[in-house]
Amino acid sequence: MTEVERHSYDVLVIGAGGAGLRAAIEAREQGLRTAVICKSLFGKAHTVMAEGGCAAAMGNVNAGDNWQVHFRDTMRGGKFLNNWRMAELHAKEAPDRVWELETYGALFDRTGDGRISQRNFGGHEYPRLAHVGDRTGLELIRTMQQKIVSLQQEDYRDLGDYDARLKVFSECTVTQLLNDDAGAISGAFAYWRESGRFVQFDAPAVVLATGGIGKSFSVTSNSWEYTGDGHALAMRAGAKLINMEFVQFHPTGMVWPPSVKGILVTEGVRGDGGVLKNANGERFMFNYIPDVFKGYYADNPEEADRWYSDPNNNRRTPDLLPRDEVARAINTEVKEGRGSPHGGVYLDIASRLSDEEIERRLPSMHHQFKELADVDITSEAMEVGPTCHYVMGGVEVDPDTGAADGVPGLFAAGECAGGMHGSNRLGGNSLSDLLVFGRRAGSGAAGYVSSLTERPTANQAQVDEAARAAVEPFGAGETYENPYTLQSDLQRLMNELVGIIRTEGEMSEALTKLRDLAERARHVGIEGNRQYNPGWHLALDLRNMLLVSECVARAALRRTESRGGHTRDDFPKMDAEWRHTLLECTLDGESVTVTPGEQVPMRADLLELFELTELEKYYTEPELVEHPARTG
Ligand code: FAD
């Protein structure tokens, strides 16, 4: 039997980004002993990198905004594939979650009359993103960490131990969820990254908040941690993933120099007036307004420019179309020979705002380009292009509680949960998602634990097997595969064959190649020992990356239409018959199975928020029979 450090909690939160921290705060506030585990340093998560802001219909900058408008924008952005109940809860609760952050100590930028300021972003009808310059995620994490410290101080006062009811385990990677004989969650198995020692956490409830999968693509805004761990852990525990074919390519990543290719240029640049231009200096986005959005966006530069100062009497600029539309447009411009020297297009804020305004509103962007690309964005345009940014797909959860379908005790929130954003997420809707559904998952987990009469017990054989699997790469024999080579082959494959534009032939080729990579991955080997060994860490992460990549490729091959973050060159149109179908990925032994499942039809009062003429662009005729405009 391997030596394993052991801890017992009521609720285990895996991930310390916005979703994980908000879930942990909630579970602890409901009196449960809670642990937060994160594989990077505490405070280092994607949430920290969020620049643009947090979408919440507070109506501070335009009084016309309210939850119904936000709900409509979110459903339109997701091309009506969203879980409508999640979109409803999100739109209704986001403003309270933003306010709550200020009670934890956050300080958002202000309007002239002292209210929380809100900025424009793609797909949002009104200025809606509460922000702190372009460092909003940092403020969000900072204040939630501060809240955690204050809860720990309370525990010290009451119980004499800071960690009595809320403890953070950082630089600790979970490799497997544990369950009892009936399949209910009983904890998780992990290792300390520094020492390589194993840790067993016993807990009847686990909240997955592990973020995204972007590191499986070669051009990405994601950092090293985002290897789809939560997605893979959930699948191996018996949960379903939905919407995995929908991967968001943010339209504006840096394209130059190669060492920083993919790093994000916030949509806030366009929200604050920046415009996209091709190599001929043309503002090309006017040529790419899709039929479903015609009438909502300005079709000429004069109106688009007026919209910034007079949004009530002008239509918004198509530079702020949802991300999937802008990314495809840039792709086409480059493919047709109108790109910039390094294969992108130009994003120009220099000719639109004064130097002082740019430095005040976009300090991180100014610094990023100056330091990394030697470009001064106050005097010249940025070269930008699509970068893999966000996964809409994730664990299928109950919208109200975050409970994963089919695995008692498992919950998920944030980017690793699926449904909320449908086929395409609107910018700013992630930070609000983390707060709304992090809180709900923490509460769902607390409620579940409180309702138990008996705690599930750990299965020793499973723990031993998890330990054996973890050290497997050390015994690979004389000739073995290098994990770094495998990772780079996987990234190239996913970018080239399952990237922004997809075809049946390329995806079939990708699946064959993924099988080869999976076979090679069996022979991944590393040298040295378990003490801080990044090659070993990557070897373990690769298993998750391969599994999740297969889900993306299989689901993408199956969906024979184009919608949001899934574009098929061979099926370029959106097909209403696919709108009500969710592709569910499950694991059967070692094989990924993709099964079509039915969307729950939208509640009538929510359906009524849309004009029938708009719904007709997305829905089948039989689905609209009950619409009040028809029944009349
Ligand atoms: P994350 O914040 O990604 O945190 C995941 C956590 O899980 C980390 O602590 C990680 O260490 C941990 N973890 C992962 N695997 C394991 C494991 N196996 N064991 C233990 N721990 C693990 N969204 C917006 O709404 N507005 C924006 O302005 C915005 N800007 C962005 C800018 C950038 C550059 C990027 C990359 C994203 C941006 N997003 C934005 C998206 C948003 O930041 C993310 O979707 C969101 O932060 C995800 O939060 P999360 O809590 O789900 O996970």
Side-chain angles (χ1 to χ4, degrees), residues 13-17 20-21 35-46 167-176 189-196 199 201 207-216 222-233 236 416 487 532-546 548:
V13 178
I14 307 177
L21 295 190
V36 183
I37 311 172
C38 51
K39 80 185 202 186
S40 35
L41 290 167
F42 191 45
K44 155 87 180 67
H46 264 169
K167 184 168 162 85
V168 179
F169 296 81
S170 64
E171 296 196 271
C172 183
T173 302
V174 172
T175 59
Q176 192 176 321
F189 183 86
Y191 69 90
W192 289 108
R193 296 177 74 80
E194 193 180 332
S195 64
V199 199
F201 292 93
V207 179
L208 292 170
T210 50
I213 68 163
K215 217 52 204 170
S216 293
N222 286 201
S223 59
W224 64 267
E225 302 97 314
Y226 297 98
T227 50
D229 296 6
H231 291 74
L233 291 170
R236 293 199 190 98
C416 76
Q487 185 194 32
Y532 198 82
N533 188 334
W536 178 44
H537 304 165
L538 179 59
L540 299 182
D541 290 347
L542 264 172
R543 297 171 180 175
N544 301 330
M545 296 169 87
L546 283 163
V548 168

Side-chain angles (χ1 to χ4, degrees), residues 464-523:
D464 291 342
E465 173 52 24
R468 189 206 59 75
V471 294
E472 210 168 32
F474 288 106
E478 296 268 295
T479 51
Y480 53 78
E481 288 282 347
N482 180 318
Y484 292 97
T485 311
L486 260 180
Q487 185 194 32
S488 111
D489 289 352
L490 171 67
Q491 291 170 329
R492 206 172 36 250
L493 180 164
M494 289 303 285
N495 230 80
E496 286 171 7
L497 302 178
V498 200
I500 186 164
I501 309 287
R502 301 161 173 175
T503 63
E504 179 180 340
E506 287 182 347
M507 280 180 298
S508 302
E509 186 188 338
L511 282 165
T512 309
K513 289 188 166 165
L514 280 170
R515 259 195 306 278
D516 294 345
L517 286 182
E519 184 49 37
R520 283 170 59 194
R522 284 181 209 283
H523 308 288

Side-chain angles (χ1 to χ4, degrees), residues 30 33 129 154 156 179 247 306 313 415 433 436 461 479-480 487 498 505 521 533 536 550 601 623:
Q30 295 196 19
R33 291 192 66 243
L129 268 68
E154 261 176 38
Y156 182 73
N179 54 267
V247 177
R306 284 197 305 269
N313 297 307
E415 191 169 339
D433 164 359
V436 169
T479 51
Y480 53 78
Q487 185 194 32
V498 200
N533 188 334
W536 178 44
E550 185 176 344
E623 288 178 298

Side-chain angles (χ1 to χ4, degrees), residues 57 65-72 87-88 91-93 95 603 605-606 609:
D65 205 9
N66 56 44
W67 79 260
Q68 288 93 338
V69 186
H70 193 180
F71 171 77
R72 279 202 297 262
E88 178 194 14
K92 283 181 172 167
E93 294 178 7
R603 239 182 27 233
D605 60 307
L606 296 177
L609 295 174

Side-chain angles (χ1 to χ4, degrees), residues 3 116 123 141 159 299 354 374 405 413 415 465 491 554 586:
E3 199 184 312
I116 290 178
I141 288 289
L159 304 162
D299 51 17
S354 68
D374 198 22
D405 192 32
E415 191 169 339
E465 173 52 24
Q491 291 170 329
R554 282 202 186 284
T586 48

